[in-house]
Amino acid sequence: MTSQNAALTSTRLLLALWDLGGTQQEVKKGQLTKRIVSKSQKVADYQGIFEELQKQGAIAISKKGYSLTSTKGLEVLGEGLRSSDFKFEGTIVGTWAANALLRWISQIDVAVTGADVPVNGKSALAELSKGIASYDEFKSVALEVYDKLNYEYNFNNLVPIYRIRRGIGDRVSRTEFNDWLLETQANDILQLQGGSVEDSAPDKIEDSVATELDGLRCYATRLKP
């Protein structure tokens, strides 16, 4: 593998790990390799890439999986995506990659580019990668994201849950997002409603919320001002 191909592969690997929530929780090995290893390749072909990224301090590796170190990992990923040499091989780009790039552009890229610019005494990158530690903090952020989406996209008070999840990003784990969003419903702050997302895209459905009693919930309506 040439140095240029290795750099491209590293960036694609980091993007997949970030998209799978690797900054907040460990991603299982099989879950990551399923995205990055093509049919003509073997997991062993990536061994050198994993080792180099670990050496750089961009990722952490355990027996069960991988995680993306918030600061260094995001910096390396940002540099790779901004490289003029970055591209996807072949003629078809996976849906996950396209969606991950869109999410990166909207949430991360500006912060990484200006990571050294202080925001209230802290770098923009540090602020963006800061996790949400409590339900009250989540409620505040979720309502802020809800209001922003509702206003900018004219959702008429019926905001897709997958858009809220992606708007909050990796500041909260998938499990905490589900639990805390359901708690906002229990507290009569948001009402979660059924239906299906536009185009019935599997990734959008996956980023909605499902419960055993109520089934799939794809939209949220704000009950309290």
Side-chain angles (χ1 to χ4, degrees), residues 3 14 17 28 36 54-55 107 111 119 121 147 199 202 210 216 220:
S3 59
L14 290 173
L17 187 55
K28 293 181 180 180
I36 64 173
Q54 184 182 39
K55 184 178 179 181
Q107 296 180 31
V119 177
D147 289 339
D199 69 25
L216 182 65

Side-chain angles (χ1 to χ4, degrees), residues 1 6 9-10 13 42-56 59 61:
M1 186 180 294
T9 301
S10 295
L13 187 156
K42 298 179 180 179
V43 176
D45 297 335
Y46 286 77
Q47 186 61 34
I49 301 294
F50 281 114
E51 292 176 354
E52 179 60 28
L53 289 173
Q54 184 182 39
K55 184 178 179 181
Q56 292 179 35
I59 66 172
I61 304 175

Side-chain angles (χ1 to χ4, degrees), residues 18 24 103 107 164-173:
W18 172 78
Q24 293 293 322
R103 193 158 65 89
Q107 296 180 31
I164 300 175
R165 187 192 296 273
R166 295 176 184 182
I168 295 175
D170 293 332
R171 296 181 63 190
V172 62
S173 71

Side-chain angles (χ1 to χ4, degrees), residues 1-133:
M1 186 180 294
T2 65
S3 59
Q4 181 178 350
N5 287 340
L8 295 176
T9 301
S10 295
T11 301
R12 192 162 61 92
L13 187 156
L14 290 173
L15 181 63
L17 187 55
W18 172 78
D19 188 49
L20 290 167
T23 57
Q24 293 293 322
Q25 58 192 0
E26 188 174 72
V27 176
K28 293 181 180 180
K29 291 185 175 181
Q31 191 177 6
L32 178 61
T33 56
K34 183 179 179 181
R35 283 197 173 184
I36 64 173
V37 180
S38 65
K39 294 180 180 180
S40 61
Q41 297 175 319
K42 298 179 180 179
V43 176
D45 297 335
Y46 286 77
Q47 186 61 34
I49 301 294
F50 281 114
E51 292 176 354
E52 179 60 28
L53 289 173
Q54 184 182 39
K55 184 178 179 181
Q56 292 179 35
I59 66 172
I61 304 175
S62 74
K63 292 182 179 180
K64 294 183 178 180
Y66 311 97
S67 55
L68 184 70
T69 55
S70 294
T71 302
K72 183 62 176 179
L74 290 175
E75 288 178 355
V76 174
L77 174 54
E79 290 172 2
L81 291 175
R82 292 195 303 274
S83 171
S84 59
D85 294 326
F86 179 72
K87 61 183 179 180
F88 287 102
E89 299 177 350
T91 57
I92 300 176
V93 178
T95 301
W96 76 263
N99 287 333
L101 281 173
L102 289 174
R103 193 158 65 89
W104 174 271
I105 291 170
S106 66
Q107 296 180 31
I108 298 292
D109 202 31
V110 173
V112 173
T113 302
D116 294 329
V117 179
V119 177
N120 295 327
K122 299 181 180 180
S123 72
L125 179 59
E127 285 297 303
L128 189 58
S129 60
K130 180 182 177 182
I132 295 174

